[in-house]
Each structure stands twice: as C-alpha cells, then as structure tokens.
Amino acid sequence: MARMSQKRKREAIAGYLFITPNLFGFLVFQLIPIAVAIVLGFTEWDLINEPIWVGFSNYRNLLKDPVFQLSVRKTLYFVLVNVPVQSALALLIAILLNRSIRFKNLIRTLFIVPWVSMAVAVGLTWTWIYNSQFGLLNEILVKVGLDKIPWLAHPDWAMISVIVVNIWQFLGFHIIIFLAGLQMIPREVEEAAIVDGASTLTRCFRITLPLISPVLFYDLIVNVIGTFQIFDLPYAMTGGGPGQATRVYNLYLYQKGFQFLRMGEASAMAVMLFIIIGITTAFFFRVVGRRVNYDLT
Amino acid sequence: MKKPLHLVGEVCFYLIIFAILFVYLFPLIWQFSTSLKTMDEVFRGFSLIPNKPIWENYTISLRDFNVGRYLLNTILVAGLITLGQVLSCSMAGYAFAKLRFPGRDFIFFLYLGTMMIPATVTLIPTYVIVLELGWVDSLAGLVIPFFFGNAFGTFLIRQFLQGVPRDLEEAAEIDGAGYFVIWSRVMLPMAKPALATLAVMTLVQQWNSLVWPLIVTQADTWKVLSVGLAAFRLFRTIQWNTMMAAVVMATLPMIVILFLAQRFFIQGIQFSGLNR
C-alpha cells in the first residue's frame, strides 16, 4: 500500500513537470492577460501615465461613439454575407466531390492552396486584380463591353470586394470539413433511398443535409466566430477605407489601442467583442441548434 | 453499350472540376505571371505568359525592398514557435492523456474554456508584458508569447494519445522505463501523425500571422514578411511586378509544404472542424 502511494506520488510529480512549460505559457500569455484585459477595460491608460480607474465610462463612451457603432454594423454585414455564401458554395462543391474519384488528394489539396497562403499576400494579389485602371477584372469588364468598377476605390464597392476575397480564401477549408462530414454518411442509407426511387434532389434535402447537419452547424459557429475577428485582409487591402467603408471591429480596436494609445477603451472593445460573440453563439444554439439532427453521430 | 456514355460522363465530370479549380486558382496564377513581367507589360493588359520572364524582379524585391531580411526573420520566428509548440504540447498532451495528478481535469477544463475567447482579448495585456520586459523589436518578443504552445495543440495531442493502448506503457514500465523515457521512446513515436499535424498547422498559422508582429515590431530589423508586405500598400507608386514577386516568395514556401504534407493538413482541418 505504501509503495502504491509512492508510485502515485511519482506519477503526480511527473504529470506536473510535463505540463509545466505549457501551463506556464497558458497562465502568462492567456489566463492572466484575459483577467488584465477585463480590469484595463475599466481604466483610462495611454501606456505612459498611470492608469486611471474610470468604471464603466469606456463602455458608455463606446456605445455612444458613431465610429464604434459603424464598425459593429460593418462587421455584422461582413459576417452575414460571408458565412452563408461561403457555406453554400463549399457545400455545393463538397457534394460534387463526394463520390469515388480519381485525383481525390490532388483536388482537395488544390482547393486549400489559398487557405495556406498568407492573408496579406492574398490581399495584395487581389488589390492588383481589383486595380481600377489596370486590374484584371476591369480589363475583362471592358473586353465584354461593360463599364469599369472602382472595386476598392469606392465606398459602395470596397466592403463587398474584401468579402469576396475572404470567401475565396477560406472556401477550401470548409470544403474539406463538409467532405469529411459527407463521408461519414453510411453508403446503405443512400442506397436504400435510391432503391426507394428518391430523386437526387429529394435525397439531397431529405437525407444528405439532415445527416450532416451537426457538421454544418459546428462549422457555421466556428465560421461566425472567426469572421467576427476579421483583420488581416481589410488591413492589407484597404486599411479601413475608403473613408470608413471597411472599418471592421478589429481594425478600429487596433487603431484605438496602437495608434491613439487608448489602451483602456481598446481593452473594453476586446471584452465587448467577446460578449458579442458569446451572445451570437448562444443565439445560434437556441435558434438553429434545435433543428440539428444528432442521431447519426 | 453503356460504357462509352459512362466514359463521356466521367470525362465531363473531371473537366468541370478542373475548370472550377482553374478559375479558383487563377488569382495565384495571375500573381505569378505578373511577378515575371516588365512594368510595360504589366500595364499592357491581358497576357498570361510574359514575353521573357524577368527573374530580376525577385532579386530587386529581395534586395531593394528588404524582403530578404523579412524572409529570414519569418523563417526564424515561425520555425522557433513551431518547435516550441510541438515540444511543449506533446509533453502536456501526454500528461493530460496518460498521467493522473490532482487538478488535472480542472486545468484541462480551463484550457478548453479559454479556447472560445477571441485572440484580441489577450492582445493588449500581452503587449504590456512584452513592453515591460523590454522585448519590443526583438526576437524574444515575437517568439516567446507563442513558444509554450496553446490549448488547441495540447488538446490535439491529448485526444490522439488517449487512443494509445495501455499495454505499451505497461510493457515499458516493466522494463523499468521512467516517465521521461515512456514519453520520448513510446509516446512520441506513436504520436508522429498528430505531431506532424500540429507542426504544419502551427507553421502555417505563424508564417502567415500579422497582428502580433505588427504591434511588436516597429523597426525594420525584426519585421516579418506579413508586416513588411502590408506596408507596400502605403507606397506612393506601386511596382506591381516586384510586389508580386515578394508575394510569391511569401506564399510559395507554405504551398510547397502543403503539397509535401497534404495528409496532415487535411487531418488538421478536420480536427479543428469536426471536434465538438
């Protein structure tokens, strides 16, 4: 008995030693910063003078700030266009690819090439393609007899142009996930439906979609959470402009914190982003989550 | 009788798929094409294949626009972080999967709990820490905050090692192996696919990451590619050909690694997308 507990003790010590580096990083660069961010949100601080406690006034000021309101609207717009279009396109291609095919690995890999490419580089490439004067897109438009479009140069067009690039860049990522989901559907189910004489469309809506709804649902949530935090592409392509046309949430947060040095307000913004994401996720679980079919997983 | 029709259908199917892929990847083809053109050709409009490929665009970009420096910094930073993460997460993943110690489940629960919190929340406090330590504009400032791994990596390795049968450890224990030996001689070889997945996912993420290097480097000395390239937008006159050359150099290494390690990328994506 004494030897047993001796062994347990050694095991516990080994356990703590093995997690030490990881836990150190987690505490110093994750857990403590989260706590500090919440505290900083209640202060006014420019990194130089001592922070001043201001209570909830950062939050009150932000809610009244027209640029903040604009950045929330811009971000919501980004999410609401990006997520449905991206999911629908990815699902369509995944269904197309979901059969025994040759070059399967090659095809899947080619679809995730944009995903492994640096967002800044992708953004610059598209800035060139979108170029009003010499860009490829306007070149094509002129060739087919249409007018040039000021893709990134005009406030009415800039946002949708950036969203298109985002949809393009992450499409392959979602294709891979949906394909994996589709392949979890047992062959017999599909075959039984074919025997029963169900048409392709019926099979798609009555069998395929309900059966992969857990995968769809999870992907949707991850996508919404990720898109709320969009930064790299608009930073590289427009910097928030023209005017404030593409000033999404995290761009404004970056500006507040690291250009205006208002660390308190920027921290409050970060905490608010977390709250917004939390509310949205909860909403999704309540409204959409109920219809998800978990029978098969 | 049915065979020829079937064959036509097959061919059509692949034609459609590769047509979609061609359009989908065309922006990258165009990027490469532009990187090899003269400025005259760049503005002359639609021609995919340059008259005479100008490889000097690449050397100009490396030298005159400092891309060589950025490239070296990026390799160093992304490489070091990947090394640290794989090591630290594989150690912790082993402990969480196989060893019993008080507080284990609580700590792991905390890990999972913070995975949902947006990265922006930790940004400012982490910057303050790095500032206080005097690590702004240094390799340490770029690397250390990510070096010890994150919840995602530990979670990935733990899930994988939980599937490793107990007999293997017991056999090693009977041979008198300590925990360190079990970790390095039994667990690490077993976990190779998971380690490779974590490595490529981390490498790509760090190679491409913008926000942290952007705020922690002001001088050119330690700037990485993403930060250096993002500044191109602000130049008054843009030389699209040398810029696209820089862009190719920023993306090509990860594309090559993608093709070398396809399987692990697919696994990594599936893990992050299917795990509930």
Side-chain angles (χ1 to χ4, degrees), chain A residues 66-79 159:
Chain A
V67 184
F68 174 81
Q69 295 168 2
L70 174 138
S71 77
V72 172
R73 278 201 308 275
K74 295 280 174 198
T75 310
L76 277 175
Y77 177 73
F78 203 115
V79 173
M159 192 60 166

Side-chain angles (χ1 to χ4, degrees), chain A residues 123-134 152 236-238, chain B residues 34 37-40 42-43 57 60 65 228-247:
Chain A
L124 291 179
T125 305
W126 278 87
T127 307
W128 166 224
I129 290 169
Y130 278 143
N131 185 276
S132 299
Q133 262 185 297
F134 304 104
L152 292 174
M237 294 177 73
T238 60
Chain B
T34 304
K37 289 176 178 174
T38 63
M39 262 326 253
D40 270 355
V42 166
F43 291 135
N57 289 338
I60 291 170
F65 294 97
L229 290 188
F232 272 33
R233 189 176 57 83
L234 309 171
F235 290 1
R236 191 157 300 162
T237 51
I238 298 175
Q239 288 192 306
W240 293 106
N241 50 359
T242 47
M243 180 167 150
M244 286 304 119
V247 161

